[in-house]
């Protein structure tokens, strides 16, 4: 039986695409193992689905001053030893990395042991961990044509693996879950895994105008519910939505979102017209701004920079995107990103067969 090691961690975005590929990898006859951090979010998510999980020591590689910069190199060094021991035990035919700092020792050690490595780079420009790991990749999968252009013929635009359940939502169940009684167009608002204060304020600032025409499902983030705005027959706010998310996606006619790579690839795959409000340069390395610009250039999204968001710009964007929704859907349907799971697993299989 062929063996694969999946690795990725630190955020859900580095784990859920790996999880999305597991059913097809099993169909293809792979024995699957996972390497992550000792106690990261990935440990719980992977153990819940019964995949053998191995934790290694991991430290963060920072571009800024932090006292942990003095201790994390020792953790990273220990991670190399941990990864070597685990890879020797499993003897995988291939390693697939979704990113995050925990993947660096795994990828570099796999390459040292002559194990083929496939890496997925979700953002338009690589983060620091993948910058270190990418030169060791046998094949590179990416979301954006601009990313592919940074590499040689080893890179392929595949998109991001999307969980199959997101495609099987039920609009009627979503209406009941949200307490909506009027059959209006629905806007889903989400600000990433922890929510976005900027997006929350922008939407709630013009809520009275929005609910005249739309039902609003607002995922605010943990601890960010606005208790001064009660749920109404046209407005439903939740800290987070898990099991009901496929139903809510099915109901949504439009989405207002941050521009994290996994989130926007889900919107593209689900063909949801969207308004992207990327995280500003003040709070990030600018990857969301580049992601959003690429999607806008491809005709998939309408972009408002965070510093330009106000009642007027948001209302105008909503009206524009809703009126032009067929144009956005058509552009997404014509994208070269089709079945990411099949594309990536076929690439994985091709390096095993070499």
């Amino acid at each position: 039986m062929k063996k694969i090691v999946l690795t990725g961690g630190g955020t859900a975005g580095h784990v859920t695409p790996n999880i999305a590929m597991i059913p097809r990898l099993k169909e293809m006859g792979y024995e699957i193992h996972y390497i992550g951090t000792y106690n990261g979010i990935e440990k719980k998510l992977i153990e819940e689905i019964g995949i053998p999980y191995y934790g290694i020591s991991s430290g963060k590689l920072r571009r800024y001053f932090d006292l942990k910069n003095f201790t994390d190199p020792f953790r990273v060094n220990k991670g190399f030893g941990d990864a070597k021991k685990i890879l020797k035990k499993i003897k995988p035919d291939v390693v697939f990395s979704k990113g995050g700092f925990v993947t660096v020792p795994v990828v570099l050690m796999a390459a040292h042991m002559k194990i083929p490595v496939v890496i997925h780079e979700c953002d338009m420009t690589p983060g620091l961990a993948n910058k270190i790991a990418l030169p060791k990749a046998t094949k590179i999968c990416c979301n954006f044509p601009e990313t592919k252009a940074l590499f040689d013929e080893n890179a392929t635009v595949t998109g991001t693996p999307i969980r199959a359940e997101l495609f099987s939502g039920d609009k009627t169940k979503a209406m009941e879950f949200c307490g909506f009684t009027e059959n209006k167009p629905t806007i889903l608002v989400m600000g990433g895994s922890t929510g976005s204060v900027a997006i929350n304020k922008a939407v709630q600032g013009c809520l009275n105008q929005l609910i005249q025409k739309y039902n609003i499902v607002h995922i605010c983030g943990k601890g960010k519910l606005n208790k001064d705005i009660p749920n109404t027959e046209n407005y439903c706010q939740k800290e987070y939505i898990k099991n009901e998310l496929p139903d809510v996606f099915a109901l949504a006619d439009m989405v207002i979102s941050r521009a994290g790579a996994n989130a926007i690839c889900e919107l593209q795959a689900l063909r949801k017209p969207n308004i992207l409000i990327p995280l500003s340069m003040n709070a990030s390395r600018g990857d969301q701004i580049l992601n959003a610009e690429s999607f806008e250039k491809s005709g998939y999204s309408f972009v408002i920079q965070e510093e330009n968001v106000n009642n007027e710009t948001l209302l105008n964007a909503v009206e524009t995107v809703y009126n032009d929704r067929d144009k956005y859907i058509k552009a997404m349907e014509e994208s070269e990103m089709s079945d990411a799971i099949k594309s990536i697993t076929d690439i994985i299989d091709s390096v095993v067969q070499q």
Side-chain angles (χ1 to χ4, degrees):
M1 178 179 278
K2 298 174 288 188
K3 295 181 182 179
I4 184 169
V5 164
L6 305 177
T7 184
T11 69
H14 288 141
V15 188
T16 51
N18 277 334
I19 292 173
M21 294 197 305
I22 286 172
R24 183 152 200 266
L25 287 170
K26 286 182 176 178
E27 288 173 10
M28 295 167 72
Y30 279 90
E31 178 183 305
I32 303 166
H33 301 260
Y34 202 102
I35 298 178
T37 54
Y38 288 134
N39 294 301
I41 187 173
E42 63 272 19
K43 185 175 192 292
K44 181 174 184 292
L45 292 172
I46 295 300
E47 288 182 343
E48 280 178 351
I49 57 176
I51 298 297
Y53 184 89
Y54 308 83
I56 69 170
S57 178
S58 176
K60 188 172 182 179
L61 308 170
R62 300 173 183 84
R63 303 171 194 259
Y64 53 88
F65 177 79
D66 189 296
L67 288 175
K68 290 181 181 177
N69 289 345
F70 297 103
T71 56
D72 278 7
F74 296 100
R75 295 190 182 96
V76 173
N77 193 49
K78 184 176 185 301
F80 279 99
D82 294 341
K84 182 177 182 179
K85 190 182 300 182
I86 294 164
L87 292 171
K88 273 190 170 183
K89 177 183 176 183
I90 297 170
K91 295 183 172 63
D93 297 284
V94 62
V95 168
F96 177 77
S97 169
K98 187 59 192 72
F101 292 106
V102 69
T103 67
V104 174
V106 182
V107 168
L108 298 189
M109 189 52 65
H112 177 73
M113 297 169 68
K114 309 300 183 189
I115 301 167
V117 176
V118 179
I119 294 179
H120 187 277
E121 173 51 60
C122 59
D123 289 313
M124 192 149 77
T125 59
L128 185 54
N130 265 1
K131 274 187 177 178
I132 296 169
L134 281 165
K136 301 298 183 183
T138 311
K139 294 286 184 182
I140 299 166
C141 305
C142 50
N143 286 340
F144 304 98
E146 295 93 334
T147 313
K148 179 182 176 181
L150 299 175
F151 304 102
D152 57 20
E153 67 279 0
N154 286 343
T156 304
V157 177
T158 60
T160 288
I162 307 298
R163 297 163 286 170
E165 62 266 26
L166 289 184
F167 296 91
S168 58
D170 186 318
K171 292 183 180 182
T172 303
K173 288 182 179 177
M175 289 285 287
E176 294 172 2
F177 172 70
C178 296
F180 295 150
T181 55
E182 293 189 67
N183 191 25
K184 292 181 173 183
T186 299
I187 300 174
L188 169 61
V189 181
M190 54 188 194
S193 57
T194 58
S196 163
V197 172
I199 292 178
N200 292 352
K201 286 176 68 176
V203 169
Q204 291 169 346
C206 54
L207 190 60
N208 289 336
Q209 295 99 309
L210 288 171
I211 61 176
Q212 290 175 24
K213 182 173 180 179
Y214 304 97
N215 287 325
I216 311 291
V217 190
H218 191 168
I219 306 175
C220 299
K222 189 173 182 180
K224 295 185 174 73
L225 292 179
N226 189 333
K227 295 176 182 176
D228 295 329
I229 305 177
N231 285 359
T232 70
E233 59 184 0
N234 302 120
Y235 179 67
C236 171
Q237 59 174 330
K238 302 282 186 182
E239 284 194 333
Y240 61 93
I241 299 175
K242 186 178 179 184
N243 296 334
E244 299 85 1
L245 189 59
D247 299 331
V248 172
F249 266 129
L251 180 64
D253 298 284
M254 184 195 318
V255 179
I256 299 172
S257 174
R258 281 297 195 197
N262 288 328
I264 64 177
C265 283
E266 288 178 349
L267 299 180
Q268 190 277 330
L270 293 166
R271 312 295 191 244
K272 296 296 176 181
N274 60 87
I275 299 166
L276 300 181
I277 305 174
L279 202 60
S280 72
M281 284 294 291
N282 292 332
S284 73
R285 65 182 179 89
D287 50 304
Q288 288 202 10
I289 294 172
L290 295 175
N291 294 347
E293 286 175 352
S294 178
F295 263 47
E296 185 174 49
K297 180 180 174 183
S298 298
Y300 310 155
S301 307
F302 187 106
V303 177
I304 312 174
Q305 299 303 331
E306 184 173 304
E307 54 270 24
N308 297 330
V309 176
N310 55 47
N311 289 9
E312 183 181 357
T313 57
L314 186 59
L315 288 169
N316 287 340
V318 167
E319 200 65 15
T320 298
V321 173
Y322 185 73
N323 290 338
D324 292 341
R325 60 192 181 279
D326 291 339
K327 180 186 75 173
Y328 287 100
I329 292 168
K330 185 173 186 293
M332 289 185 274
E333 287 174 342
E334 293 173 350
S335 163
E336 63 179 301
M337 293 189 288
S338 51
D339 186 343
I341 291 176
K342 184 177 187 305
S343 297
I344 294 172
T345 52
D346 284 351
I347 289 169
I348 289 170
D349 216 36
S350 72
V351 303
V352 171
Q353 305 300 333
Q354 287 177 359

